PDB file of all heavy atoms in Angstrom:
ATOM      1  N   ALA A  53      12.697  21.462  -0.557  1.00 92.00           N
ATOM      2  CA  ALA A  53      12.103  22.204  -1.663  1.00 92.00           C
ATOM      3  C   ALA A  53      11.669  21.339  -2.835  1.00 92.00           C
ATOM      4  O   ALA A  53      12.279  20.272  -3.086  1.00 92.00           O
ATOM      5  CB  ALA A  53      13.186  23.248  -2.186  1.00 92.00           C
ATOM      6  N   SER A  54      10.615  21.755  -3.525  1.00 96.00           N
ATOM      7  CA  SER A  54      10.169  20.993  -4.691  1.00 96.00           C
ATOM      8  C   SER A  54       9.306  21.957  -5.538  1.00 96.00           C
ATOM      9  O   SER A  54       8.589  22.793  -5.019  1.00 96.00           O
ATOM     10  CB  SER A  54       9.290  19.833  -4.271  1.00 96.00           C
ATOM     11  OG  SER A  54       8.562  19.296  -5.333  1.00 96.00           O
ATOM     12  N   THR A  55       9.476  21.817  -6.862  1.00 96.00           N
ATOM     13  CA  THR A  55       8.490  22.402  -7.765  1.00 96.00           C
ATOM     14  C   THR A  55       7.611  21.340  -8.410  1.00 96.00           C
ATOM     15  O   THR A  55       6.412  21.342  -8.164  1.00 96.00           O
ATOM     16  CB  THR A  55       9.222  23.188  -8.893  1.00 96.00           C
ATOM     17  OG1 THR A  55       9.925  24.257  -8.269  1.00 96.00           O
ATOM     18  CG2 THR A  55       8.172  23.805  -9.897  1.00 96.00           C
ATOM     19  N   ARG A  56       8.229  20.373  -9.137  1.00 98.00           N
ATOM     20  CA  ARG A  56       7.486  19.381  -9.890  1.00 98.00           C
ATOM     21  C   ARG A  56       6.692  18.393  -9.057  1.00 98.00           C
ATOM     22  O   ARG A  56       5.523  18.150  -9.272  1.00 98.00           O
ATOM     23  CB  ARG A  56       8.418  18.646 -10.810  1.00 98.00           C
ATOM     24  CG  ARG A  56       8.855  19.321 -12.045  1.00 98.00           C
ATOM     25  CD  ARG A  56      10.294  19.018 -12.427  1.00 98.00           C
ATOM     26  NE  ARG A  56      11.110  19.630 -11.430  1.00 98.00           N
ATOM     27  CZ  ARG A  56      11.483  20.885 -11.547  1.00 98.00           C
ATOM     28  NH1 ARG A  56      11.245  21.596 -12.612  1.00 98.00           N
ATOM     29  NH2 ARG A  56      12.243  21.488 -10.643  1.00 98.00           N
ATOM     30  N   THR A  57       7.359  17.804  -8.095  1.00 98.00           N
ATOM     31  CA  THR A  57       6.793  16.702  -7.366  1.00 98.00           C
ATOM     32  C   THR A  57       5.534  17.156  -6.572  1.00 98.00           C
ATOM     33  O   THR A  57       4.495  16.616  -6.599  1.00 98.00           O
ATOM     34  CB  THR A  57       7.758  16.015  -6.458  1.00 98.00           C
ATOM     35  OG1 THR A  57       8.983  15.777  -7.229  1.00 98.00           O
ATOM     36  CG2 THR A  57       7.277  14.675  -5.899  1.00 98.00           C
ATOM     37  N   ARG A 108       8.049  14.289   1.474  1.00 97.00           N
ATOM     38  CA  ARG A 108       9.496  14.533   1.048  1.00 97.00           C
ATOM     39  C   ARG A 108      10.283  14.882   2.291  1.00 97.00           C
ATOM     40  O   ARG A 108       9.897  15.817   3.027  1.00 97.00           O
ATOM     41  CB  ARG A 108       9.604  15.610  -0.057  1.00 97.00           C
ATOM     42  CG  ARG A 108      11.039  15.916  -0.312  1.00 97.00           C
ATOM     43  CD  ARG A 108      11.267  16.769  -1.543  1.00 97.00           C
ATOM     44  NE  ARG A 108      11.033  16.025  -2.760  1.00 97.00           N
ATOM     45  CZ  ARG A 108      11.280  16.515  -3.990  1.00 97.00           C
ATOM     46  NH1 ARG A 108      11.807  17.753  -4.127  1.00 97.00           N
ATOM     47  NH2 ARG A 108      11.074  15.767  -5.040  1.00 97.00           N
ATOM     48  N   HIS A 136      13.468   8.078  -5.018  1.00 98.00           N
ATOM     49  CA  HIS A 136      12.404   8.909  -5.490  1.00 98.00           C
ATOM     50  C   HIS A 136      11.596   8.003  -6.463  1.00 98.00           C
ATOM     51  O   HIS A 136      11.659   8.111  -7.649  1.00 98.00           O
ATOM     52  CB  HIS A 136      13.010  10.109  -6.272  1.00 98.00           C
ATOM     53  CG  HIS A 136      12.075  11.276  -6.451  1.00 98.00           C
ATOM     54  ND1 HIS A 136      10.689  11.186  -6.329  1.00 98.00           N
ATOM     55  CD2 HIS A 136      12.352  12.538  -6.882  1.00 98.00           C
ATOM     56  CE1 HIS A 136      10.214  12.332  -6.616  1.00 98.00           C
ATOM     57  NE2 HIS A 136      11.163  13.205  -6.933  1.00 98.00           N
ATOM     58  N   GLN A 139       9.273   9.434  -9.208  1.00 98.00           N
ATOM     59  CA  GLN A 139      10.006   9.942 -10.329  1.00 98.00           C
ATOM     60  C   GLN A 139      10.490   8.853 -11.235  1.00 98.00           C
ATOM     61  O   GLN A 139      10.440   8.944 -12.459  1.00 98.00           O
ATOM     62  CB  GLN A 139      11.261  10.700  -9.763  1.00 98.00           C
ATOM     63  CG  GLN A 139      12.190  11.237 -10.864  1.00 98.00           C
ATOM     64  CD  GLN A 139      11.668  12.442 -11.567  1.00 98.00           C
ATOM     65  OE1 GLN A 139      11.133  13.333 -10.985  1.00 98.00           O
ATOM     66  NE2 GLN A 139      11.828  12.478 -12.923  1.00 98.00           N
ATOM     67  N   PRO A 267      15.549  14.899 -14.610  1.00 98.00           N
ATOM     68  CA  PRO A 267      14.444  14.946 -13.653  1.00 98.00           C
ATOM     69  C   PRO A 267      14.127  16.438 -13.405  1.00 98.00           C
ATOM     70  O   PRO A 267      13.030  16.717 -12.842  1.00 98.00           O
ATOM     71  CB  PRO A 267      14.941  14.304 -12.372  1.00 98.00           C
ATOM     72  CG  PRO A 267      16.489  14.320 -12.476  1.00 98.00           C
ATOM     73  CD  PRO A 267      16.807  14.296 -13.966  1.00 98.00           C
ATOM     74  N   LEU A 268      15.000  17.375 -13.629  1.00 97.00           N
ATOM     75  CA  LEU A 268      14.867  18.766 -13.346  1.00 97.00           C
ATOM     76  C   LEU A 268      14.824  19.022 -11.808  1.00 97.00           C
ATOM     77  O   LEU A 268      14.394  18.082 -11.117  1.00 97.00           O
ATOM     78  CB  LEU A 268      13.697  19.434 -14.060  1.00 97.00           C
ATOM     79  CG  LEU A 268      13.704  19.237 -15.599  1.00 97.00           C
ATOM     80  CD1 LEU A 268      12.402  19.915 -16.217  1.00 97.00           C
ATOM     81  CD2 LEU A 268      14.929  19.875 -16.219  1.00 97.00           C
ATOM     82  N   PRO A 269      15.156  20.108 -11.260  1.00 95.00           N
ATOM     83  CA  PRO A 269      15.589  21.310 -11.953  1.00 95.00           C
ATOM     84  C   PRO A 269      16.982  21.135 -12.557  1.00 95.00           C
ATOM     85  O   PRO A 269      17.793  20.417 -12.056  1.00 95.00           O
ATOM     86  CB  PRO A 269      15.634  22.393 -10.831  1.00 95.00           C
ATOM     87  CG  PRO A 269      15.955  21.594  -9.626  1.00 95.00           C
ATOM     88  CD  PRO A 269      15.246  20.274  -9.791  1.00 95.00           C
TER      89      PRO A 269
HETATM   90  N1   CP B   1      12.222  15.985 -10.187  1.00 51.73           N
HETATM   91  C1   CP B   1      11.871  16.531  -8.955  1.00 51.73           C
HETATM   92  O1   CP B   1      11.797  15.825  -7.961  1.00 51.73           O
HETATM   93  O2   CP B   1      11.746  17.876  -9.011  1.00 51.73           O
HETATM   94  P1   CP B   1      11.331  18.766  -7.730  1.00 51.73           P
HETATM   95  O3   CP B   1      12.501  18.709  -6.751  1.00 51.73           O
HETATM   96  O4   CP B   1      11.078  20.150  -8.281  1.00 51.73           O
HETATM   97  O5   CP B   1      10.100  18.138  -7.123  1.00 51.73           O
END
Side-chain angles (χ1 to χ4, degrees):
S54 168
T55 296
R56 279 144 290 275
T57 312
R108 173 169 286 189
H136 197 345
Q139 176 73 44
L268 303 180

